[in-house]
Amino acid sequence: MPHLTDRKQFALACVLLMVVSACGGGGGSGSPATPTPVTTTPPQQEPEPAFGLVMRASLQAPQFAINPVGTAEIELFDAFPSLNFNNAVYLTAIPGSSDLAIVEQGGRIVRFNPSNASSVTVMLDISARQPMQANEEGLLGLAFDPDYENNGRAYVHYTEHGPRRSVLSRLLRSTVNPLQLDSATEQVLLEQDQPFSNHNGGMLAYGPDNMLYMALGDGGSANDPQNNSQRLSNLLGKLLRLDVSGAGLAIPADNPFVGQAGARGEIWAYGLRNPWRFSFDRLTGTLWLGDVGQNSREEIDIITRGGNYGWRVFEAEERFDDSQNSLPDSAFTAPVFSYGRDSGFSITGGYVYRGSTAPSIQGQYVYADFGGEVWALEYDGASVGENRSLGILNSVSSFGEDATGELFAVSLGGSVFGFRESSSGNAAAPGLLSETGLFADLVSLTPANGMIEYAVNAEFWSDGARKQRWIGIPDGQQIEFSNTGNWVFPLGTVVVKHFELELQEGVPESARRMETRVLVNTDNGFQGYVYRWNDDQTDARLLSGSEQQSLQIETANGNRTQVWHYPSRAECLACHTVAAGEVLGVNTRQMNRTFAYPAASDNQLRSWNNIGLFSEEIGAAEQWQQMVDATDTAQSLENRARAYLDANCANCHRPGGASGSSLDLRYSTETNDLNAINIEPQVPSASTADRLIVPGNRESSVVLQRMRSLDESRMPPISSNTIDREGVDLIGEWIDAL
């Protein structure tokens, strides 16, 4: 498509040619030619509409580093220098308290306040039982009931002798001293005989389904001589899933091997050698596990229901012992990542980082080798990226999180280490919105030169807030266009989304500026920054982590309280995933719509193409995908519902998405291919609903139940505290009509 000035020149040339033709030419004899009367009516053509954007303005460089500080350097620092622990093997937060708990392998659990870490309080001491009679025995695991603040339940995993066995017990908080666990209340829930002193596993953790998970090693002295890991008739070499919500221990009915002849119903996954440490990603629920290898490979697994992770047929990807195997290779799940003896010899499984002090590793799996190296592994849900060394720490026995998601590395040497960005160099982002260079005037929210305002067809639900959006593409750079896939943005691209909330429903003038979010494309991918507006509404400050604010909203039925959640950088990028293109909403199907530019209303694709924002000439906008507005009742119910699911759910629920499920809720996916119709949920529902979508029955559909819930099953799971009633009605009506 030619630019506007090209068309003007072309039109002028046509006029001149017509004039010249009308004047005629010279005759051979000099006599004038006899004119032939001709009557013509020029065709009437509609003038081409004006462009909304006529010229590409130079982008005033925003003040964000595209090589953020700490991308290559993370500081590992002694988080509690006044404290020293004896054979520490685990750290966890204590629900209902700001305290942390440390498990010491010799038999003690101690607690302390991290903000004033000068001394510890002993919560439990079973050291007199001498549980640690070998270096892989002892007090190995601890899990607090998520409702510990109210029910006082805690669970421990330790080794006992005479005979040697692994023990899972429940203890209650002391009624005399609430800082302690009462050993007299111990209730043994499960015991497993151990043929050898090593490969005990030992980790305990609650999953997002409120079930207790427990890891047990294969019980083998070396190469699992009894082939326990592949035998479903015992619990060794397994990850167990247990229901401890009642008076005792129960086997969840949806465990994969319940009812299978000769199989133990407690088993969730098998084929493990020594699953010393595992964890759940606190944002996605994905279960990560570090399995200690035998001779050559250490492996990282993502555990799924009923999975067989290969040992002892395989050691990571390498075949180990096929002598007792009758299964095809397709029956085994390969690790996400493994490393050889050139890098280490005993993996210590870690956590997906979801804290705020080390943003350059957000979303990455942080783990270590007992030999000393700590790494951060990039994984987008489908493929592994960089495995980056963060430094050296001797004898890392475990990792653990505090209540906010900050990560700590626990060393057998007695110290606990935290993670933060290197203190050298400049900050990656300005501390105030006014210092970013994104706006020429904050009072009017006038964008700086080169920042282009845009809108999308289908809005993401943001607790009733109204939003404005801008994007800046660096001078001389262009976007790689795709009709059906994600657009590719050049380094230095800046995307801004601004949120305002009406304090009086239906009164636009009552809107309060809440936050302004910024995405910057850096050498380390898109990085997110959240700026919270001050009470005077004059500026906004950069947040270092998530925050919340309670607001009073005036409605026709009286006042109501609304909690606004300001997301952390980690929470931003939990949705802005690589699989979803990182920049949500800036794609063909969402951008193919009219926008009221100051110059003229115009299709956004047409205007962006006119000023050369794309790396190719894309032609007419009408030929490309277009999503409908989910609130436009003139559109079909099917298209409206699918647009809503795409905008609100498909960033995670898509191939390679962060959810890890098989759901594919993209707008372009046929309804029968959503992997949702009459499909059981990956995480069982707490309600009577038992299928993701039951055609004709919204009340039996898990998808709708989770949309109208505010508990841990809430969808979307973060940054929302208010149910989208209109969205719930839309999806409910669509399900009923299927």
Side-chain angles (χ1 to χ4, degrees):
M1 182 180 293
H3 291 290
L4 180 61
T5 51
D6 297 330
R7 284 196 295 274
K8 287 181 177 178
Q9 292 170 356
F10 177 75
L12 179 60
C14 290
V15 172
L16 292 174
L17 180 61
M18 293 170 62
V19 171
V20 170
S21 299
C23 291
S29 62
S31 302
T34 303
T36 302
V38 177
T39 303
T40 61
T41 302
Q44 298 295 314
Q45 294 182 346
E46 291 292 330
E48 189 170 9
F51 286 96
L53 298 174
V54 178
M55 180 183 300
R56 179 175 177 178
S58 178
L59 179 66
Q60 176 181 320
Q63 301 301 306
F64 293 87
I66 61 173
N67 53 343
V69 175
T71 297
E73 291 185 54
I74 292 290
E75 268 187 275
L76 300 169
F77 65 100
D78 192 343
F80 313 111
S82 298
L83 300 180
N84 192 270
F85 305 97
N86 185 21
N87 276 59
V89 292
Y90 187 51
L91 175 149
T92 188
I94 302 176
S97 165
S98 59
D99 285 6
L100 299 177
I102 292 281
V103 177
E104 296 181 336
Q105 195 173 0
R108 293 199 319 166
I109 299 173
V110 299
R111 66 185 293 166
F112 64 95
N113 188 323
S115 63
N116 183 27
S118 57
S119 62
V120 302
T121 298
V122 177
M123 290 192 76
L124 180 71
D125 189 350
I126 61 169
S127 58
R129 303 185 197 181
Q130 297 183 321
M132 184 183 177
Q133 295 185 14
N135 68 354
E136 292 186 24
E137 293 183 335
L139 181 55
L140 304 175
L142 168 67
F144 292 99
D145 189 294
D147 196 31
Y148 176 77
E149 183 178 12
N150 295 313
N151 63 28
R153 290 181 169 189
Y155 300 84
V156 293
H157 181 188
Y158 61 92
T159 53
E160 190 77 278
H161 298 86
R164 177 186 288 117
R165 63 198 184 278
S166 291
V167 179
L168 170 67
S169 287
R170 173 192 288 154
L171 297 119
L172 299 179
R173 182 176 53 229
S174 171
T175 57
V176 176
N177 184 347
L179 297 179
Q180 296 179 338
L181 297 173
D182 186 356
S183 59
T185 65
E186 182 179 4
Q187 177 187 3
V188 175
L189 300 177
L190 183 148
E191 294 182 283
Q192 170 62 49
D193 288 344
Q194 289 286 356
F196 301 98
S197 64
N198 59 349
H199 299 192
N200 289 298
M203 177 76 182
L204 294 176
Y206 268 88
D209 53 3
N210 278 333
M211 296 295 171
L212 182 66
Y213 290 73
M214 174 179 176
L216 285 171
D218 61 18
S221 60
N223 60 350
D224 191 11
Q226 300 170 340
N227 199 32
N228 288 319
S229 292
Q230 289 298 314
R231 292 167 49 214
L232 293 174
S233 58
N234 69 67
L235 302 181
L236 296 173
K238 313 299 192 301
L239 186 70
L240 314 182
R241 180 173 178 260
L242 311 169
D243 184 353
V244 293
S245 61
L249 183 149
I251 297 173
D254 58 344
N255 273 10
F257 304 108
V258 170
Q260 180 173 319
R264 293 289 296 265
E266 299 96 329
I267 298 171
W268 183 252
Y270 66 115
L272 303 169
R273 182 178 178 273
N274 191 19
W276 171 248
R277 290 291 173 257
F278 64 85
S279 67
F280 291 91
D281 184 332
R282 61 170 44 217
L283 289 184
T284 68
T286 303
L287 202 172
W288 292 77
L289 183 146
D291 200 9
V292 181
Q294 172 69 35
N295 294 329
S296 61
R297 308 295 296 176
E298 304 295 305
E299 70 180 90
I300 297 171
D301 298 309
I302 290 182
I303 303 295
T304 57
R305 180 181 185 274
N308 183 345
Y309 292 86
W311 178 252
R312 68 179 181 166
V313 178
F314 288 91
E315 181 182 4
E317 306 92 340
E318 297 178 359
R319 192 172 297 277
F320 184 81
D321 183 356
D322 224 3
S323 61
Q324 299 184 50
N325 176 46
S326 60
L327 298 174
D329 288 359
S330 60
F332 303 101
T333 300
V336 169
F337 183 77
S338 72
Y339 62 89
R341 288 295 179 265
D342 56 338
S343 298
F345 61 86
S346 180
I347 189 171
T348 299
Y351 289 74
V352 175
Y353 184 78
R354 298 298 185 188
S356 60
T357 63
S360 66
I361 56 171
Q362 65 75 37
Q364 298 176 26
Y365 181 68
V366 179
Y367 68 102
D369 190 274
F370 195 74
E373 191 133 17
V374 182
W375 293 281
L377 177 71
E378 294 178 345
Y379 183 71
D380 63 6
S383 59
V384 167
E386 182 182 9
N387 184 50
R388 180 160 58 91
S389 175
L390 301 182
I392 301 295
L393 287 179
N394 290 329
S395 307
V396 175
S397 59
S398 186
F399 291 85
E401 293 178 313
D402 68 14
T404 67
E406 282 306 324
L407 186 64
F408 299 92
V410 179
S411 171
L412 280 182
S415 296
V416 174
F417 295 88
F419 295 75
R420 65 188 177 200
E421 300 291 336
S422 173
S423 58
S424 61
N426 297 318
L432 294 174
L433 187 61
S434 59
E435 298 169 346
T436 63
L438 295 170
F439 294 94
D441 182 12
L442 276 187
V443 175
S444 61
L445 284 185
T446 302
N449 283 339
M451 296 296 295
I452 300 170
E453 190 171 1
Y454 69 94
V456 296
N457 279 315
E459 292 267 3
F460 181 85
W461 170 249
S462 298
D463 285 2
R466 66 188 191 199
K467 290 164 281 190
Q468 285 180 273
R469 303 168 178 84
W470 299 267
I471 188 170
I473 306 298
D475 293 356
Q477 303 297 311
Q478 295 173 305
I479 302 167
E480 293 182 25
F481 177 86
S482 172
N483 177 34
T484 58
N486 299 323
W487 292 359
V488 179
F489 299 89
L491 193 68
T493 296
V494 180
V495 185
V496 180
K497 184 156 62 172
H498 176 74
F499 298 76
E500 297 187 358
L501 189 65
E502 291 179 1
L503 300 185
Q504 295 175 267
E505 286 186 352
V507 181
E509 296 77 14
S510 72
R512 175 183 176 80
R513 294 177 177 181
M514 301 302 298
E515 60 179 282
T516 303
R517 301 178 189 173
V518 182
L519 283 175
V520 183
N521 196 9
T522 74
D523 289 327
N524 197 37
F526 273 93
Q527 301 295 311
Y529 306 95
V530 178
Y531 290 86
R532 175 177 175 171
W533 282 83
N534 59 26
D535 292 340
D536 295 333
Q537 302 282 275
T538 57
D539 208 340
R541 62 177 173 85
L542 178 66
L543 300 186
S544 59
S546 63
E547 295 182 4
Q548 293 202 141
Q549 180 180 12
S550 292
L551 300 166
Q552 291 298 309
I553 309 296
E554 295 183 25
T555 74
N557 299 318
N559 288 359
R560 64 176 174 84
T561 300
Q562 178 166 335
V563 176
W564 184 267
H565 181 82
Y566 299 90
S568 67
R569 294 187 60 194
E571 288 174 313
C572 288
L573 297 183
C575 291
H576 292 268
T577 63
V578 172
E582 297 185 288
V583 182
L584 307 179
V586 189
N587 54 56
T588 302
R589 60 187 175 276
Q590 282 276 36
M591 296 292 295
N592 194 357
R593 56 158 287 169
T594 298
F595 183 80
Y597 295 101
S601 292
D602 191 16
N603 181 282
Q604 292 179 134
L605 296 183
R606 179 174 179 264
S607 270
W608 286 27
N609 185 62
N610 183 57
I611 63 172
L613 281 189
F614 299 120
S615 59
E616 60 182 284
E617 168 65 45
I618 70 167
E622 292 77 10
Q623 65 183 308
W624 304 121
Q625 277 193 353
Q626 185 179 38
M627 188 186 295
V628 305
D629 178 353
T631 65
D632 183 0
T633 55
Q635 303 295 328
S636 73
L637 176 62
E638 169 76 12
N639 286 343
R640 291 173 58 216
R642 294 300 310 281
Y644 184 92
L645 292 173
D646 184 289
N648 288 275
C649 311
N651 56 307
C652 286
H653 293 291
R654 62 168 60 216
S659 71
S661 72
S662 60
L663 263 175
D664 184 3
L665 297 180
R666 293 175 297 172
Y667 189 71
S668 57
T669 303
E670 294 294 329
T671 299
N672 289 334
D673 295 329
L674 297 175
N675 292 322
I677 307 297
N678 288 319
I679 298 295
E680 292 184 5
Q682 195 172 55
V683 177
S685 173
S687 70
T688 57
D690 60 355
R691 297 292 187 274
L692 292 173
I693 293 176
V694 180
N697 190 343
R698 71 174 75 183
E699 295 304 321
S700 296
S701 299
V702 174
V703 165
L704 191 78
Q705 300 306 315
R706 291 181 175 169
M707 283 180 60
R708 64 188 187 191
S709 170
L710 288 176
D711 61 19
E712 64 277 359
S713 68
R714 168 85 165 115
M715 288 294 164
I718 56 175
S719 290
S720 180
N721 293 297
T722 304
I723 296 172
D724 181 4
R725 302 293 179 186
E726 292 182 0
V728 168
D729 290 344
L730 170 63
I731 300 304
E733 185 181 351
W734 171 67
I735 291 174
D736 287 345
L738 285 175

